[in-house]
Amino acid sequence: MAGVAGADSYSARMRMTLHRVRNSVRKSGVDYFRGDGSDWIALAGLLLTVPAIALATIALPMWCAPSALVLPIVAGGLLLRPASLLSLYAAAAAALIVESMVLGPYPDGPGRVTPGTVLVVAACGLFGLLIAQFRARVGVPWRRGGTMLFDLRERIRVQSALPRLPQGWHQEMALRPAGGQSFSGDFVVAARTNGGRTLEVVLTDVSGKGMDAGSRALLLSGAFGGLLGSLPPHNFLPAANGYLLRQDWDEGFATSIHLVLDLESGDYELLSAGHLPALQLHAGSGRWEEKSGEGPLLGVYDGAQFDPVKGSLCPGDVLMLFTDGLVEAPGRDLGEGIDRLTGEADRYVAPGFEGAAWHLIEAVAKDVNDDRALLLICREP
C-alpha cells in the first residue's frame, strides 16, 4: 500500500510540475505577443535557425544560398529588442565565417560566400537595427502596433456613430478618407439631448488630410464628444474654439458645423465655424436652399462669436451636411461643386435617400485626394 501511495504522490507531483511549466510557457507567450514580456523566446528560436541555415548551405549550396541568413536577421529586426539583435548578428557573422571556410574561395563555383553576400547580410542587419531602435524609442512593439492602429480606427468609428432617431426620421452618414486610408481628418460626433427630444450633430473638418490629420481628429472627436450635450448648444463652438487654441498646434485650425434639431417640431438651428453651408431640400418646391451660420474657423483667435441660422424640416424635407472635399477641386468653383452635388442628390428625391450618402460620394468625388464626409437627415413624408 505504501508503494502505491508513493507512486500516486510522485505522479501527482509530476502533474503539478507539468501544469506549472505549461502555464509559465503560455503566460510568457501571451505576454510576448502582447508586447509586455521578454523577447527570449524569439531570440532562442532565431538563434537556432542560424546554424540550421548554415548547415543547409554547406550541405546543399545550390538550394540554400549563404544570403539566406538575411531571413532570421529580418525577422529579428521585427521581433527583437536592439540589445538582443546584437547576439543574433554575432551568430550570423560566425555562420558566414564558417560557411566561407568550409565552402572555400568564392571564385571556385556557385553557392560561395562572396563579398556581395556579406554586404547584403550587413545591410539587412543595419536596417533591422534601425527599425528595432525606432520601435524602442516609440515604445510600441510591432506586435501591438497594428492592434493599436486598429483600435484607434474603431474608436473614431464608434465616436462617429449616429444615435437612433424616432419614427418618422432617417439619418445616415458616409465617410471616405483621402487616398483610401483608414484615418480621416473629417469626423462626426452626435448625441440626443433634452431628454431625447433634441438631436445635436457636429461635423468637423480638421486641417490636413488622411493620416496626417487622423491623430488630431481622434483627439478632437473625443474632446468634442465630451463637450456635446454637456453645454448649452450656443456654448459648444466657443468651448471647442478655446480647446483648440489651448493645444497650440502649428496647424491647429478646423472648420465645424453644429446642428441642433428638435425631433418633435422639426425646427433647427445651424451654427458654423468657417464651414461650408448646409443644403436643405424643400419637398414642396423641390429646390435646394443653402443654410449657414456666421462664425470664424476654430482655433484662429479667442473670443470668437458664432451666430446661428434657423430653419425647419417639414415632412419630406432633407438636410445635407458635408465637408469641402466633396465639392472643392483645383480649378473648379465652389458653386459648381455644390451644383453638381445637388444635381446628383435630385436623383434620390423620388425613390428616397436611404443608402444615398455613400453613392453620392462615389458619384461626385470618388477620385478626389481629400477627406470626404456626408451626412443626410431626412424627415419622412
Side-chain angles (χ1 to χ4, degrees):
M1 296 295 293
V4 175
D8 291 342
S9 177
Y10 176 78
S11 177
R13 287 197 302 269
M14 287 297 297
R15 286 197 298 269
M16 289 295 295
T17 301
L18 290 175
H19 179 71
R20 285 195 296 268
V21 170
R22 184 170 60 251
N23 285 345
S24 177
V25 172
R26 181 184 302 170
K27 183 178 183 302
S28 298
V30 171
D31 289 342
Y32 173 72
F33 282 102
R34 289 177 58 191
D36 302 327
S38 174
D39 59 354
W40 68 268
I41 298 178
L43 176 60
L46 292 173
L47 286 176
L48 291 175
T49 63
V50 171
I53 292 176
L55 291 175
T57 301
I58 294 172
L60 300 169
M62 292 294 294
W63 295 95
C64 184
S67 58
L69 285 171
V70 301
L71 298 176
I73 287 178
V74 170
L78 296 174
L79 294 170
L80 302 180
R81 294 177 173 88
S84 301
L85 272 177
L86 298 180
S87 301
L88 180 64
Y89 291 172
L96 278 176
I97 294 174
V98 172
E99 288 175 358
S100 62
M101 294 175 61
V102 173
L103 294 176
Y106 66 86
D108 286 354
R112 302 298 189 256
V113 180
T114 65
T117 302
V118 177
L119 289 176
V120 169
V121 174
C124 290
L126 176 61
F127 290 139
L129 186 60
L130 293 176
I131 293 172
Q133 289 178 339
F134 175 77
R135 289 200 328 269
R137 185 169 64 250
V138 174
V140 179
W142 80 276
R143 302 174 300 280
R144 296 298 303 276
T147 303
M148 185 186 70
L149 292 175
F150 176 79
D151 182 61
L152 291 177
R153 187 189 69 180
E154 290 303 300
R155 287 181 184 273
I156 294 177
R157 185 186 63 81
V158 170
Q159 289 175 355
S160 298
L162 301 175
R164 184 182 299 273
L165 299 186
Q167 187 175 4
W169 293 92
H170 172 71
Q171 44 83 3
E172 63 179 81
M173 181 193 68
L175 178 64
R176 188 159 184 174
Q181 301 175 14
S182 298
F183 296 91
S184 172
D186 297 346
F187 66 88
V188 172
V189 292
R192 289 183 63 177
T193 59
N194 195 20
R197 172 174 177 170
T198 303
L199 172 68
E200 291 191 52
V201 180
V202 177
L203 175 60
T204 302
D205 183 359
V206 178
S207 57
K209 60 186 178 182
M211 293 287 291
D212 296 333
S215 58
R216 284 176 286 137
L218 176 65
L219 179 63
L220 290 183
S221 65
F224 287 10
L227 292 173
L228 193 67
S230 302
L231 298 172
H234 286 201
N235 293 344
F236 173 82
L237 286 181
N241 182 59
Y243 177 82
L244 211 59
L245 286 171
R246 290 192 296 273
Q247 305 311 303
D248 196 25
W249 289 331
D250 293 335
E251 193 179 1
F253 65 89
T255 69
S256 193
I257 188 167
H258 182 196
L259 169 67
V260 184
L261 173 63
D262 189 320
L263 295 172
E264 294 185 3
S265 66
D267 297 334
Y268 67 85
E269 284 188 341
L270 276 173
L271 299 99
S272 177
H275 202 82
L276 295 175
L279 295 173
Q280 180 179 353
L281 172 66
H282 295 278
S285 63
R287 303 177 67 89
W288 291 91
E289 177 187 6
E290 294 187 6
K291 307 284 288 189
S292 178
E294 296 291 334
L297 298 169
L298 295 177
V300 176
Y301 62 87
D302 199 6
Q305 293 186 347
F306 304 92
D307 300 322
V309 62
K310 297 185 178 181
S312 182
L313 289 177
C314 300
D317 286 3
V318 178
L319 189 65
M320 183 160 51
L321 312 179
F322 51 91
T323 56
D324 57 4
L326 206 62
V327 293
E328 288 186 353
R332 187 177 70 183
D333 184 71
L334 178 62
E336 181 182 348
I338 293 178
D339 290 342
R340 184 180 178 187
L341 175 61
T342 55
E344 288 293 333
D346 284 337
R347 300 184 179 186
Y348 295 92
V349 173
F353 281 84
E354 185 172 354
W358 182 260
H359 293 290
L360 284 174
I361 292 180
E362 286 286 302
V364 176
K366 179 180 180 180
D367 298 321
V368 175
N369 189 27
D370 197 359
D371 300 324
R372 290 140 292 169
L374 178 65
L375 173 67
L376 293 171
I377 298 179
C378 313
R379 189 170 188 183
E380 297 175 355

